[in-house]
Amino acid sequence: MKWIKKSIEKHKFVLMANKGGVESVAWHVGESGGIDCRVPFYMYKRRVTMTFPETPSPDIRPDPRLALYMMRAYNDELGRVVTYTYQHLLTEGLDNEASDLFLSLAEGDMAHFHTLGRLIRALGGDPGVTMRMATPRIDLSGDASCRALPVVRRMLCQDMQAEAAGITELESLAAAARDEAVTAALRTMIAEEQEQYEALERLLRKL
C-alpha cells in the first residue's frame, strides 16, 4: 500500500495529463493477494483508467528468461517516451492539439516503462536501460506554419506503427508469461496502448 501511494505521487504528471485531474482512487485486491490501484482520469479528452500494480510481489514466481525477453519492450517504451516528448516540443505552438496528444502519450508510456521495470525486477531480471536513445531530427526550418501539417501527419503515421509494434510485443509477453499477476499487468498495458493507438488514429483522420 505504501509503495502505491508513493507511486501515485511520483507519477502525478501522468494523472494530471491533459489537465484532466483525478476523479477517485480505487484500491483493489486481486485473487493472488496483490494490491493495485486504479485511477480514473482523462487522457486526450477521454476518460481512461491507469492501473499501478504493486510489484515485485511475493506471489510472482521468478522467471529470468521472461525478464530478459521483457527487456526489449522495456527499452521500446522508453524510446517512445523520448520520441513523444520530442514531438510535443516541436509541435508546441504550431499544432497544439497534436502537441497535447504527444505529451499525454509520453506520460502514459512513462507509466508503462515503470511498470515493466518493476515486473522485470520481480521476475529476477535487472531493469537497466540497454538502448542508446536518439531521436531522428525533424526539420521545421523555413515557413513552419506551412510545413506543420504534413510533418504532423508523418509523425502520427510513424507513431501508429510504433504503437502497433508495441502492442504485438506485449501480447507475445502476455502469452509467454506463466504467472497470472504478470499476465494481468501486461493485459492492462495492452488495453491502454490500444487506447493510445486509437487517439493517434482519430487525430490523423482530422488532418
Side-chain angles (χ1 to χ4, degrees), residues 108-180:
D109 278 345
M110 187 65 206
H112 294 167
F113 171 71
H114 184 261
T115 298
L116 284 170
R118 294 188 66 86
L119 288 175
I120 289 168
R121 189 177 181 191
L123 291 166
D126 179 5
V129 175
T130 58
M131 65 174 287
R132 295 184 62 184
M133 290 179 288
T135 53
R137 290 287 305 276
I138 299 174
D139 183 16
L140 286 177
S141 60
D143 188 352
S145 62
C146 293
R147 297 174 59 85
L149 182 59
V151 169
V152 170
R153 287 183 62 89
R154 187 161 62 249
M155 288 178 184
L156 294 172
C157 290
Q158 292 172 349
D159 293 342
M160 287 172 64
Q161 292 176 354
E163 287 290 343
I167 290 169
T168 299
E169 201 164 41
L170 290 174
E171 287 174 339
S172 297
L173 289 169
R178 295 178 293 179
D179 190 291
E180 291 183 2

Side-chain angles (χ1 to χ4, degrees), residues 80 82-92 94-95 98-99 101-103 105 135-140 144 147-163 196-197 200-201 203-204 207:
R80 287 198 292 276
V82 174
T83 298
Y84 287 139
T85 302
Y86 179 50
Q87 292 173 345
H88 159 69
L89 294 171
L90 285 185
T91 56
E92 195 171 24
L94 297 177
D95 187 327
S99 182
L101 174 58
F102 292 141
L103 179 59
L105 297 176
T135 53
R137 290 287 305 276
I138 299 174
D139 183 16
L140 286 177
R147 297 174 59 85
L149 182 59
V151 169
V152 170
R153 287 183 62 89
R154 187 161 62 249
M155 288 178 184
L156 294 172
C157 290
Q158 292 172 349
D159 293 342
M160 287 172 64
Q161 292 176 354
E163 287 290 343
Q196 294 184 175
Y197 179 92
L200 288 163
E201 188 176 41
L203 182 56
L204 181 61
L207 298 180

